[in-house]
Amino acid sequence: MTDAGAVRHTPVEDFLALVTGTLLVAAGLEMFHRTGVGTGGAPGLAFLVTYAGGIGLPVALLLVNLPFYVFSIWRMGWRFTLKTVAAVSLLAAETWGLPRLLEIARVEPIFGAGFGGLLVGVGLLILIRHKASLGGVGIVALWLQERRGWSAGKVQMAIDAVILSGTVFVLDAPHVALSLLGAVTMNLVLAVNHRAGRYLGF
């Protein structure tokens, strides 16, 4: 929902938001990776592919999003879809480059899961407020919020619960619990800070 007094973001603002948002998400995913946990959404699906199939995370991020682009074009329009493709591509490049630019020697597991969730949540919030996403089920969550008024954070949390259930097949019990902590933290950021009608930028 937009307001008559809302001011559209400029292309420069959108570009800066895509870079900033995806970089925060990439940092959060690096925390998750160092902690050995999974998460929800498209990154969570990519982690499952990585853990189960041995495919690198950047490649997995690109692959799992392909089917959702069709839905995005159909329901969200070309502008949103192009921003999402750009965001996913940036994220894939950043998840490849970040470990080569930043070396993290040790991450305490509980902190890594919680802080990683905060970073991913804030990054996603920036992208959402610039009418973009990281693809996957996030597109469905945003569409339901715009069309039905459902909270994107709560919808995402419900879908993430299904995705996280898949971690029981590739991770041990402690890491499944840490994955849940990270996903809940991430979705709380969205549920508290992004509600239909609250933010007027578009």
Side-chain angles (χ1 to χ4, degrees):
M1 178 175 120
T2 59
D3 184 86
V7 179
R8 183 182 293 275
H9 292 119
T10 67
V12 172
E13 290 171 338
D14 283 340
F15 172 76
L16 291 174
L18 289 179
V19 173
T20 303
T22 54
L23 191 56
L24 286 172
V25 173
L29 294 182
E30 181 65 13
M31 285 285 178
F32 288 154
H33 183 66
R34 294 288 179 177
T35 311
V37 304
T39 186
L45 291 174
F47 268 123
L48 288 178
V49 172
T50 297
Y51 290 144
I55 299 175
L57 184 60
V59 175
L61 283 167
L62 296 173
L63 291 177
V64 300
N65 275 293
L66 292 177
F68 293 99
Y69 291 151
V70 177
F71 178 85
S72 181
I73 294 170
W74 178 39
R75 289 298 186 182
M76 304 297 286
W78 279 101
R79 189 165 184 255
F80 176 88
T81 303
L82 289 175
K83 285 184 181 181
T84 297
V85 171
V88 172
S89 300
L90 269 173
L91 180 62
E94 289 161 353
T95 54
W96 177 86
L98 195 60
R100 293 161 174 80
L101 297 173
L102 177 66
E103 182 177 349
I104 302 176
R106 188 185 77 87
V107 180
E108 200 283 325
I110 295 179
F111 174 81
F115 187 53
L118 287 175
L119 287 172
V120 173
V122 173
L124 288 174
L125 184 63
I126 292 172
L127 295 174
I128 290 170
R129 288 186 170 180
H130 284 260
K131 294 293 183 180
S133 77
L134 290 179
V137 295
I139 296 173
V140 180
L142 288 175
W143 177 72
L144 287 172
Q145 176 164 284
E146 290 194 359
R147 294 295 183 270
R148 305 285 186 178
W150 298 356
S151 167
K154 292 177 181 177
V155 171
Q156 183 81 47
M157 190 177 293
I159 299 174
D160 286 349
V162 177
I163 295 173
L164 282 168
S165 66
T167 61
V168 301
F169 300 105
V170 294
L171 300 175
D172 58 24
H175 286 91
V176 170
L178 289 171
S179 299
L180 181 61
L181 170 63
V184 169
T185 304
M186 174 185 72
N187 283 288
L188 280 175
V189 172
L190 296 178
V192 170
N193 293 284
H194 188 72
R195 297 179 186 175
R198 171 173 287 177
Y199 184 70
L200 301 181
F202 64 102

